Amino acid sequence: MEKPAAEGGSPVRESKLFYGHQYIDEADIEAVERVLRSDFLTCGPEIARLEERLCRLTGARHAVVVSNGTAALHMACQAAGVGAGDEVITTPITFAASANCALYCGAKPVFADINAKTYNIDPASVTEKVTDATRAVVAVDFTGQAVELDRLLAICHEKGIVLIEDAAHSIGTLYNGRPVGSIADLTTFSFHPVKTVTGGEGGAVLTNDDTLYARLKLFHTHGITREAEMLQHPAEGGWYYEQVELGMNYRMTDMQAALINSQLDKLERFRKRRKEIVARYDEAFRDIPQVSVQEEIPESDTTRHLYILRIRPELLTIGRRQFFDALVAENICCNVHYIPVYWHPYYEKLGYRRGICPAAEKLYQEMMSLPLYYAMSDKDVEDVITAVRKICSYYRKPEP
């Protein structure tokens, strides 16, 4: 395929611009170095500090930090009592972990379709998918935009279902003025490097429920406790502990926690810059007929993790694959988030078939994620816009 630049458009940028990248400064490095010179590499004071900070940031009563976002989802399902024979409703436009967490507990993932404008799970579709076997809903704040929490909470609580908000994308987002993390029954965060705040890896589960919190604390440390009221036998000394349930080793290190604590100092800066980039993209792309942008519900004051550009194939002579390749040829390295979960071969082996969520499948075939991260310069942003305009101009369909 010939590059659009061959037609005499603006020159291709010299360096590659990736879709996401962490931002690490000297304060972050010094925070990790302090831990490396301290007495605790794990299970130390940085863990408690991070859990307390996440509670203050979100307004949640309890936080448990863990090794990664997938562990957080597994823990949330386990704490919610998800087990064999249960069903867990989630969206197909997400990373596989949002559905895998049900499988880890022996339950069946059930996929609800998305709202074609916001790309988040559609509460009406959730209602259609609820059965007597539904134990939980895992609602993903896709790209960082909060799901329709009020509607989902009403659906779940009427049926005695636990709402788990997968907020891997949405730390810093507000819903009706309240921070994400304090609203759903359980909320999970991820601190992967391309997220707004990173620990290299890492995750967290937040809740306002004391019983759910106790389950989370126990499960993430092998099911082992030193709490006197939980011991089945008399304590034999200060070293004594008991395994009272089967749990996992999902602990976070103090090195990760120190890095996240330092990153949280910059959250408002990260949030402000991401919102600036999103606003500039939206302004530019709304004037290009060959593409469309994600709509946002008024309740969500979004800190965007991903920026989704949706092409309109009916107005172009190329499809998404060719558009993607054309952007790469312009040194704009985008990505696609996500392949519908039930399209993966593992889910096909479980009996899932294409066609069950038509809005989600159509979105997948038309979308790509453009560069969005804190350290992008204004020139980087304009280079992305220029490349999109060039491709849309070169490959636009002639008017009839």
Side-chain angles (χ1 to χ4, degrees):
M1 183 181 69
E2 188 179 27
K3 294 181 183 179
E7 289 297 297
S10 57
V12 175
R13 64 175 275 135
E14 294 181 0
S15 60
K16 290 186 184 297
L17 183 65
F18 295 98
Y19 90 91
H21 198 277
Q22 71 273 13
Y23 176 81
I24 301 294
D25 62 13
E26 286 302 314
D28 297 327
I29 295 168
E30 290 170 6
V32 174
E33 183 180 1
R34 283 195 299 273
V35 171
L36 291 172
R37 298 181 185 280
S38 75
D39 294 327
F40 295 94
L41 297 184
T42 193
C43 300
E46 289 291 338
I47 298 295
R49 180 171 173 243
L50 176 55
E51 290 176 340
E52 192 273 334
R53 273 193 89 170
L54 288 172
C55 288
R56 281 193 284 112
L57 173 70
T58 64
R61 290 183 62 188
H62 305 294
V64 180
V65 296
V66 295
S67 52
N68 54 63
T70 300
L73 284 164
H74 183 195
M75 284 175 50
C77 278
Q78 191 277 339
V82 174
D86 291 334
E87 294 177 353
V88 175
I89 298 172
T90 193
T91 172
I93 300 297
T94 185
F95 187 62
S98 305
N100 290 348
C101 58
L103 296 175
Y104 298 153
C105 296
K108 176 185 176 182
V110 174
F111 295 97
D113 212 345
I114 63 164
N115 179 309
K117 295 181 178 180
T118 68
Y119 312 157
N120 268 338
I121 197 167
D122 184 353
S125 184
V126 171
T127 298
E128 293 172 359
K129 302 290 184 176
V130 170
T131 70
D132 291 342
T134 306
R135 177 57 67 96
V137 172
V138 176
V140 179
D141 295 334
F142 179 56
T143 74
Q145 178 178 189
V147 292
E148 296 178 64
L149 283 161
D150 288 342
R151 292 181 65 189
L152 290 169
L153 280 167
I155 293 165
C156 289
H157 291 176
E158 179 184 354
K159 301 289 187 179
I161 299 166
V162 177
L163 179 61
I164 300 169
E165 184 178 5
D166 180 346
H169 295 182
S170 60
I171 192 166
T173 290
L174 307 178
Y175 181 83
N176 279 333
R178 295 176 61 191
V180 161
S182 61
I183 303 168
D185 299 310
L186 292 149
T187 302
T188 65
F189 286 142
S190 169
F191 302 115
H192 182 274
V194 296
K195 301 300 195 298
T196 301
V197 168
T198 187
E201 283 285 359
V205 192
L206 289 77
T207 185
N208 294 323
D209 186 289
D210 295 346
T211 300
L212 292 175
Y213 174 63
R215 293 175 187 165
L216 294 167
K217 289 289 285 183
L218 189 63
F219 187 74
H220 96 301
T221 54
H222 303 276
I224 286 174
T225 184
R226 297 177 183 271
E227 300 291 334
E229 63 273 16
M230 297 183 69
L231 299 179
Q232 305 298 305
H233 305 288
E236 298 177 16
W239 49 266
Y240 189 74
Y241 61 87
E242 291 179 351
Q243 181 182 339
V244 297
E245 290 184 7
L246 182 63
M248 305 292 288
N249 178 6
Y250 282 159
R251 295 189 300 261
M252 178 185 284
T253 69
D254 270 50
M255 293 171 286
Q256 291 171 292
L259 177 53
I260 297 165
N261 276 320
S262 179
Q263 291 263 297
L264 286 174
D265 291 339
K266 296 178 278 287
L267 179 57
E268 282 306 309
R269 286 164 50 195
F270 292 165
R271 171 178 162 81
K272 180 175 182 290
R273 181 57 180 160
R274 285 174 176 265
K275 288 171 77 72
E276 289 172 352
I277 296 169
V278 168
R280 177 65 186 116
Y281 278 164
D282 282 350
E283 176 188 40
F285 298 141
R286 285 200 176 105
D287 291 334
I288 304 175
Q290 291 80 17
V291 297
S292 61
V293 300
Q294 180 183 9
E295 292 188 15
E296 189 162 309
I297 59 174
E299 295 88 348
S300 183
D301 179 0
T302 302
T303 300
R304 196 77 69 87
H305 158 55
L306 297 172
Y307 188 90
I308 302 297
L309 185 72
R310 186 169 189 172
I311 69 165
R312 299 181 64 190
E314 71 275 14
L315 299 180
L316 291 161
T317 61
I318 57 172
R320 192 267 307 275
R321 169 61 189 272
Q322 293 79 19
F323 201 113
F324 184 99
D325 290 344
L327 278 171
V328 173
E330 298 288 328
N331 265 335
I332 307 298
C333 298
C334 43
N335 208 330
V336 175
H337 298 91
Y338 295 91
I339 300 169
V341 174
Y342 58 81
W343 281 23
H344 290 298
Y346 182 81
Y347 278 81
E348 290 178 328
K349 288 189 291 185
L350 294 177
Y352 294 87
R353 295 293 177 261
R354 299 186 181 200
I356 59 177
C357 294
E361 294 181 23
K362 188 173 191 301
L363 173 66
Y364 165 65
Q365 293 166 331
E366 298 175 357
M367 69 174 177
M368 64 198 77
S369 302
L370 297 185
L372 175 61
Y373 53 93
Y374 170 75
M376 286 180 68
S377 68
D378 290 345
K379 182 182 183 304
D380 291 334
V381 175
E382 294 306 316
D383 284 348
V384 175
I385 293 168
T386 298
V388 170
R389 282 182 174 147
K390 183 193 300 187
I391 294 164
C392 287
S393 176
Y394 185 68
Y395 291 111
R396 70 179 183 273
K397 274 188 179 177
E399 295 184 8

